[in-house]
Amino acid sequence: MRIVFILLFVVLFSTKVSSQNKVNDYEYIIVPERFDFLDADDKYELNSLTKFLFKKHGFKAFKGTDSYPDDLMKNSCKGLKVSVLKSSSLFLTKLEISLKDCNDIEIFKSSVGKSKEKDYRKAYHQALRNAFEDIKALNYKFNENNKIGNSDINKGITKEKNSSEISVDKASVIGNEKLSYVFSDINYIMKKETYGYELIKNEKGIEISIGKIYKSNKGDVFIVKAEKLNGLGYFDEFYNFILERINPVTDQLIKDVFARE
């Protein structure tokens, strides 16, 4: 029994160290405006609390409507995407925190945070804070010598490629009839049309057109009219789509990054 216990301890310790090292390789945390199990942006201020708690534990955390640093704007692979997962039972609210890279590979998942509170807001906040104990235990410190998120690891484009090779890759993407993206944990499709692109939201396999992306006279600049996503957009060198728009609440310019899949 003692040997079994020691082996179990070694496995758990090794897993923890491995997760810590992987998370330390990423400079940024990206929190969506809405989690899948809720029906409104930042409902119960759960997304804002998630961002706050990541910052409290030493992470550079941003929400979808925040202005991103230039290096994150150019390369979404420098950040980890946050998902909060709900698995509640009759008398318990249960939440888990998942961190995925730009290729949707899970890098870290917390243990379940629980709450017996009946009030939704209190229950979600308490369960989330309990799940964050695993985040706290990581003792996060960004590894500045890492290679993840640099141009040598980004959607198959290596730093050995010169600008002409990148142009070829980009040209091949432009020729696609449909482009797939992820923004705030929601899948989107840009369908090529004569005017530019039709923007389609793909939720659980159901595709709904939400607006249009028009070509402008400025070549690489597009005019976006799609529900709340209204503004000017452009494709970066890796063909992520960058949308610049005005936050209707703060009247501040914000940048949304649609990460190419």
Side-chain angles (χ1 to χ4, degrees):
M1 284 295 294
R2 183 180 179 184
I3 294 175
V4 172
F5 176 79
I6 292 173
L7 288 174
L8 180 60
F9 175 80
V10 169
V11 170
L12 291 174
F13 180 77
S14 299
T15 301
K16 179 181 177 181
V17 171
S18 176
S19 296
Q20 180 183 31
N21 290 338
K22 288 180 179 179
V23 173
N24 286 346
D25 283 339
Y26 293 85
E27 189 171 3
Y28 302 107
I29 294 292
I30 303 170
V31 181
E33 286 299 307
R34 182 189 305 188
F35 294 125
D36 289 344
F37 61 92
L38 296 174
D39 59 4
D41 290 354
D42 202 17
K43 192 165 186 179
Y44 307 114
E45 294 81 43
L46 197 62
N47 302 73
S48 295
L49 178 61
T50 302
K51 174 185 171 181
F52 168 79
L53 291 174
F54 270 110
K55 294 183 73 172
K56 178 181 178 181
H57 295 301
F59 294 83
K60 295 178 183 177
F62 298 88
K63 282 174 62 182
T65 55
D66 292 338
S67 295
Y68 290 0
D70 288 343
D71 57 342
L72 180 59
M73 285 288 296
K74 294 177 181 177
N75 188 349
S76 60
C77 290
K78 282 179 172 288
L80 289 173
K81 300 180 293 182
V82 180
S83 295
V84 172
L85 312 172
K86 180 183 175 183
S87 57
S88 300
S89 59
L90 184 60
F91 299 108
L92 286 176
T93 296
K94 302 177 183 178
L95 298 180
E96 296 172 279
I97 302 163
S98 172
L99 300 179
K100 293 183 179 181
D101 67 12
C102 60
N103 294 309
D104 273 343
I105 297 173
E106 190 168 68
I107 302 300
F108 172 85
K109 190 173 186 179
S110 74
S111 53
V112 178
K114 302 176 183 178
S115 174
K116 293 182 178 179
E117 292 283 349
K118 294 182 179 179
D119 178 80
Y120 280 128
R121 187 178 188 278
K122 290 181 179 179
Y124 286 139
H125 280 219
Q126 186 178 73
L128 183 69
R129 288 179 181 275
N130 289 337
F132 255 92
E133 289 300 314
D134 283 359
I135 303 291
K136 179 181 178 181
L138 290 175
N139 294 314
Y140 169 79
K141 185 176 181 181
F142 175 56
N143 174 17
E144 295 184 359
N145 297 318
N146 79 320
K147 293 184 179 181
I148 293 179
N150 292 333
S151 57
D152 60 335
I153 305 179
N154 189 15
K155 304 292 185 181
I157 298 175
T158 64
K159 64 181 179 182
E160 286 79 12
K161 287 187 176 182
N162 57 36
S163 58
S164 63
E165 288 178 304
I166 292 177
S167 296
V168 171
D169 287 339
K170 188 172 181 178
S172 66
V173 174
I174 293 173
N176 292 342
E177 291 299 315
K178 288 185 178 181
L179 305 175
S180 298
Y181 291 88
V182 174
F183 170 62
S184 290
D185 284 346
I186 297 175
N187 295 312
Y188 290 87
I189 296 170
M190 292 184 186
K191 182 182 177 184
K192 198 168 184 180
E193 301 288 354
T194 54
Y195 55 80
Y197 298 92
E198 180 184 6
L199 186 58
I200 300 168
K201 184 187 290 186
N202 186 348
E203 289 190 290
K204 298 180 180 179
I206 300 175
E207 297 183 0
I208 303 172
S209 178
I210 63 170
K212 301 180 186 298
I213 300 174
Y214 297 95
K215 297 175 186 175
S216 74
N217 293 329
K218 294 184 178 180
D220 291 338
V221 178
F222 294 82
I223 301 168
V224 182
K225 291 187 176 181
E227 295 183 344
K228 295 180 181 180
L229 302 173
N230 296 313
L232 298 179
Y234 59 91
F235 294 99
D236 67 14
E237 60 181 319
F238 302 112
Y239 229 72
N240 300 307
F241 188 75
I242 313 301
L243 172 63
E244 296 186 352
R245 59 190 176 96
I246 301 298
N247 187 315
V249 178
T250 64
D251 287 330
Q252 299 294 312
L253 179 67
I254 57 176
K255 292 184 179 181
D256 300 323
V257 179
F258 288 72
R260 181 167 65 88
E261 292 190 293

